[in-house]
Amino acid sequence: MSAEYATFGLAPAMRAGGLLAGGDFQVHRDFVDFVVDGRPLLFRLSDLDAVSPLASDVPPSLFTSQVRALLLEAGAPLPAGRYIVYGCPECEDLACGAVTAVIERDGEDVLWRDFAWQTGEHADLERNGYHGIGPFRFHGAEYRAALAALLDGGVPGARRRVLLIGARAARLAAALRTIGVGADIAQDADGVPADELRGYGAVLFGPSVGDGERDAVRRAFAGAGVDVPCVDGLAPVVPLLVAQTEQALDRGPREGRRLTELTATTAGAELEITSPCRVRLTAYRLDRLSRTRAQDVFDGVLEPGRHRVPLDGRAVRGEAYLVARTGGTVLVTGVGR
């Protein structure tokens, strides 16, 4: 089969977890994404919330078997030489649906072709094929080198533990653990070994933590030689703090994100999108009795570019905040007057 050559690479990615306005939650998943011609392959699949089989939270033996399968060192897991490229981030069950493709050798090259959405043992290319994606022909040496580097630890994994500084952080810690993010609580970082500090991906300060205490924590991390984002909690609203934490954990490059900018006033939200994707906007506010009110104010697929989304003034009156969420990105902002 003839096809122009495409470049193949790998990059760390995440599916952001979070507490949703309706009371449900979605888990946090770190994974390695496929990069084709310099762009994440997942970005070609609009409105798809999925992860690759190369997830960091699976046992090392399973991760290794997935890599070796993609290297074509074992038989295809599905009929007709098909492999799962992206699957459900919650359970990874084929019944939930997965993007599959035929992966095969062609001489020294490797071909990925016949992409399809599959929910059973066999794919129906006519009904569920991704006819605008692929085929991709990769130079075999480049393809094998990228995947083999994973077996040697060549692609760094994300740090999924966060340190919460301040009082009354137990509810936030429990919420983060629910979505798969480890959370430790401390009053400061004095005396914590450097190796332990290097295991944290973010620090979140509670509103009661003073400037001097914050500076001391930053100095401790700097002394350990680790650059960790430090987040000031916007408000005592657990889903909002979870969203801020997820935003801090996303250390990927700007070009690897679907959602790159978010600002908001009571009249509307401004967003910048890099590839077609589903975007959910949730407004949080504190009422006069300091009770949390949450409301989904937008849920739809947006095309690349800048967008203005009108907001219901009742949902963002008073002290209000907006969370924008895609499958892999979370951004948080205060609502200006």
Side-chain angles (χ1 to χ4, degrees), residues 204 231-235 239-249 332:
L204 192 141
V231 181
D232 294 321
L234 288 174
L240 181 67
L241 295 172
V242 169
Q244 283 190 266
T245 303
E246 286 285 359
Q247 180 176 338
L249 288 172
V332 182

Side-chain angles (χ1 to χ4, degrees), residues 89-232:
E90 298 286 344
C91 66
E92 301 179 75
D93 190 334
L94 183 61
C96 291
V99 178
T100 68
V102 174
I103 301 179
E104 61 186 5
R105 292 187 183 87
D106 186 11
E108 288 297 310
D109 300 336
V110 176
L111 281 176
W112 285 28
R113 61 176 176 84
D114 296 340
F115 288 81
W117 179 254
Q118 189 168 343
T119 57
E121 186 178 5
H122 298 280
D124 187 333
L125 292 179
E126 185 174 344
R127 292 185 56 189
N128 300 317
Y130 287 100
H131 301 294
I133 298 179
F136 300 118
R137 177 182 293 274
F138 304 118
H139 289 285
E142 177 187 59
Y143 178 88
R144 288 185 284 273
L147 287 167
L150 290 178
L151 302 178
D152 299 327
V155 176
R159 290 171 291 173
R160 296 198 304 144
R161 289 175 63 210
V162 298
L163 181 62
L164 310 179
I165 302 293
R168 295 182 292 183
R171 288 184 59 207
L172 174 58
L176 288 168
R177 292 166 188 152
T178 296
I179 67 170
V181 175
D184 298 327
I185 303 172
Q187 293 302 312
D188 54 53
D190 293 345
V192 179
D195 286 346
E196 187 171 342
L197 291 178
R198 295 187 190 106
Y200 291 108
V203 176
L204 192 141
F205 295 114
S208 63
V209 181
D211 291 341
E213 296 167 294
R214 296 171 191 234
D215 290 341
V217 170
R218 293 188 180 98
R219 285 196 300 271
F221 276 92
V226 59
D227 178 21
V228 64
C230 296
V231 181
D232 294 321

Side-chain angles (χ1 to χ4, degrees), residues 99 107 237 312:
V99 178
V237 178
D312 182 348

Side-chain angles (χ1 to χ4, degrees), residues 262-327:
L262 171 69
T263 59
T265 67
T266 53
E270 298 276 352
L271 305 95
E272 184 171 358
I273 306 297
T274 63
S275 67
C277 61
R278 179 187 177 190
V279 178
R280 179 188 291 116
L281 296 178
T282 305
Y284 295 92
R285 66 181 180 87
L286 296 173
D287 66 15
R288 295 179 181 178
L289 299 178
S290 296
R291 294 173 300 193
T292 302
R293 304 296 184 185
Q295 180 179 335
D296 287 332
V297 294
F298 176 80
D299 190 348
V301 176
L302 296 178
E303 295 297 317
R306 297 190 65 86
H307 299 269
R308 180 173 177 81
V309 178
L311 297 177
D312 182 348
R314 294 170 296 180
V316 292
R317 65 180 182 270
E319 183 182 355
Y321 306 89
L322 196 66
V323 175
R325 184 182 300 278
T326 69

Side-chain angles (χ1 to χ4, degrees), residues 43-59:
F43 284 15
R44 300 173 188 257
L45 306 165
S46 64
D47 193 23
L48 182 65
D49 181 17
V51 300
S52 82
L54 304 176
S56 65
D57 55 353
V58 301

